[in-house]
Amino acid sequence: MRLFPKKMIAIYLLMVIPFISIAQQDFQGKAYYQTKTTMDLDNWGRGQMSEQQKKQIMERMKSFLEKQYILTFTQSESIYKEDEKLEAPGAGGGRGFGMMSSFTGGAQYKNVKEQELLQEQDFFGKQFLIKDSLPDLQWEMGTETKQIGQYTCFKATAVKKVDEFDWSSMRRRNRDKDDAEKKKDSTESADAENKNPMDEIEVPKEIIVTAWYTPQIPVNNGPGEYSGLPGLILEINADRTTMLCTKIVLNPEEKDEIKKPSKGKEVTRKEYNEIVKNKMEEMREMYGGRRGGGRGR
């Protein structure tokens, strides 16, 4: 982590001094986040989608792309989980979107002192407990500030390695510019019909993460797996996803007990990714088998 620029120190101290009591006592806070992930539908589908088609697809995927979370935190521990609300009658949510609908994340526990991360994850009806360490992000501290609610926030950026199964960053593979000019005979058309759509998806290896944190709440925490800054992170911009804090409650009258998740088969991140990879390969073979059967009729 890079040190603070000198001209920030005075401002930083003026902001932190009134809140030293927070850092010295056993307290709890709750931060409410609105998250949103965008998708570029222009590069999906065989033909150009109409605006109406894009709108319908985005509406169906809304439950995947827009969520609300609550981060319950102390100085060293936190639980981050979805603020689940009842769907309106007839709302289809994002069900039916194949592979993505098979991933359901549960509570996420962080211990910033021990650098420990535990994530409940449901995958194709099986419950897993992923045990990992917190990402070691090398934050670059900036001098730029902005106001989020009543809090003054400072900007920090980092380069983050992306998990190979991070669906929020998935995109269609880039094609050669001359693809449209290639001759499409009957054989090529048949190959296109039998191509597994999963082969069209890629996830970038790295993304730029921009964080806005406030020293006015001097805890080393934030939404999701993010932490490592001298203040609560109120906003994260990571590739196509934005996490924005909309409400903060410090020292609520009724405090929640922060418990480590314990449900599911305990696995490392590497082991879990291998399970997902094997399942995808199984589906690829099943998909090819069905296609092959259809051609023989």
Side-chain angles (χ1 to χ4, degrees):
M1 182 187 297
R2 198 172 72 181
L3 296 177
F4 279 104
K6 291 182 179 179
K7 62 182 179 180
M8 287 177 60
I9 296 177
I11 299 174
Y12 180 77
L13 289 176
L14 286 173
M15 294 170 60
V16 171
I17 288 173
F19 292 88
I20 288 178
S21 58
I22 290 179
Q24 291 178 339
Q25 59 183 299
D26 182 20
F27 83 106
Q28 185 179 106
K30 285 191 175 184
Y32 296 75
Y33 293 86
Q34 177 74 46
T35 72
K36 185 173 184 179
T37 301
T38 60
M39 289 191 69
D40 183 7
L41 295 179
D42 289 335
N43 293 322
W44 294 88
R46 294 183 181 177
Q48 188 73 20
M49 289 187 189
S50 68
E51 291 303 316
Q52 182 62 27
Q53 287 174 319
K54 292 178 187 178
K55 185 177 180 180
Q56 290 175 347
I57 290 176
M58 292 300 289
E59 187 62 32
R60 289 183 62 195
M61 296 189 71
K62 192 171 183 179
S63 65
F64 282 119
L65 303 177
E66 297 181 19
K67 293 178 180 289
Q68 294 182 341
Y69 289 88
I70 301 174
L71 176 71
T72 303
F73 59 90
T74 62
Q75 291 180 24
S76 59
E77 295 179 291
S78 67
I79 284 285
Y80 185 70
K81 58 184 178 181
E82 186 174 354
D83 184 11
E84 298 179 353
K85 296 181 180 180
L86 294 176
E87 282 189 349
R95 289 189 290 271
F97 277 85
M99 201 70 172
M100 283 192 297
S101 63
S102 301
F103 290 83
T104 305
Q108 183 185 74
Y109 168 87
K110 293 203 300 280
N111 187 315
V112 295
K113 285 187 177 179
E114 302 296 330
Q115 292 294 296
E116 180 184 18
L117 187 150
L118 293 172
Q119 171 74 56
E120 289 183 345
Q121 187 76 46
D122 183 273
F123 179 60
F124 275 92
K126 293 184 178 180
Q127 189 75 30
F128 295 94
L129 181 63
I130 303 172
K131 188 173 184 179
D132 203 356
S133 57
L134 295 178
D136 183 21
L137 295 179
Q138 301 300 308
W139 293 106
E140 292 286 332
M141 318 295 280
T143 57
E144 187 177 347
T145 65
K146 75 173 181 178
Q147 201 77 10
I148 298 180
Q150 68 187 63
Y151 299 98
T152 299
C153 297
F154 288 88
K155 182 179 180 180
T157 58
V159 176
K160 177 189 173 186
K161 292 183 179 179
V162 182
D163 187 275
E164 60 183 312
F165 299 111
D166 183 351
W167 296 103
S168 65
S169 292
M170 74 176 185
R171 59 202 67 190
R172 194 171 187 179
R173 293 184 184 278
N174 290 327
R175 297 185 174 187
D176 295 332
K177 293 180 180 180
D178 60 349
D179 273 356
E181 301 175 3
K182 290 182 180 179
K183 185 178 180 181
K184 296 181 180 180
D185 58 23
S186 58
T187 303
E188 289 175 334
S189 298
D191 289 342
E193 284 291 328
N194 297 312
K195 192 171 185 179
N196 186 345
M198 295 303 297
D199 294 334
E200 292 290 293
I201 296 174
E202 68 176 356
V203 176
K205 293 183 179 180
E206 293 181 339
I207 60 172
I208 300 295
V209 177
T210 300
W212 294 91
Y213 68 95
T214 177
Q216 291 174 261
I217 305 178
V219 295
N220 174 6
N221 219 318
E225 71 270 33
Y226 297 102
S227 62
L229 288 168
L232 182 66
I233 300 172
L234 300 191
E235 182 177 338
I236 284 284
N237 295 290
D239 195 36
R240 300 174 184 270
T241 298
T242 296
M243 307 174 179
L244 177 63
C245 183
T246 58
K247 178 183 176 182
I248 295 176
V249 179
L250 296 178
N251 286 317
E253 292 184 5
E254 295 185 11
K255 295 185 178 181
D256 295 336
E257 182 180 2
I258 295 179
K259 283 182 167 182
K260 289 187 178 183
S262 58
K263 296 180 181 179
K265 179 182 178 182
E266 186 173 308
V267 293
T268 64
R269 172 61 65 179
K270 183 178 180 180
E271 290 170 338
Y272 176 74
N273 285 347
E274 191 64 27
I275 291 169
V276 175
K277 186 176 180 180
N278 291 337
K279 185 63 177 181
M280 291 177 67
E281 186 61 35
E282 178 186 326
M283 292 182 66
R284 181 180 287 111
E285 292 176 359
M286 291 175 61
Y287 181 89
R290 289 198 297 270
R291 289 289 189 179
R295 289 195 303 271
R297 291 179 184 176

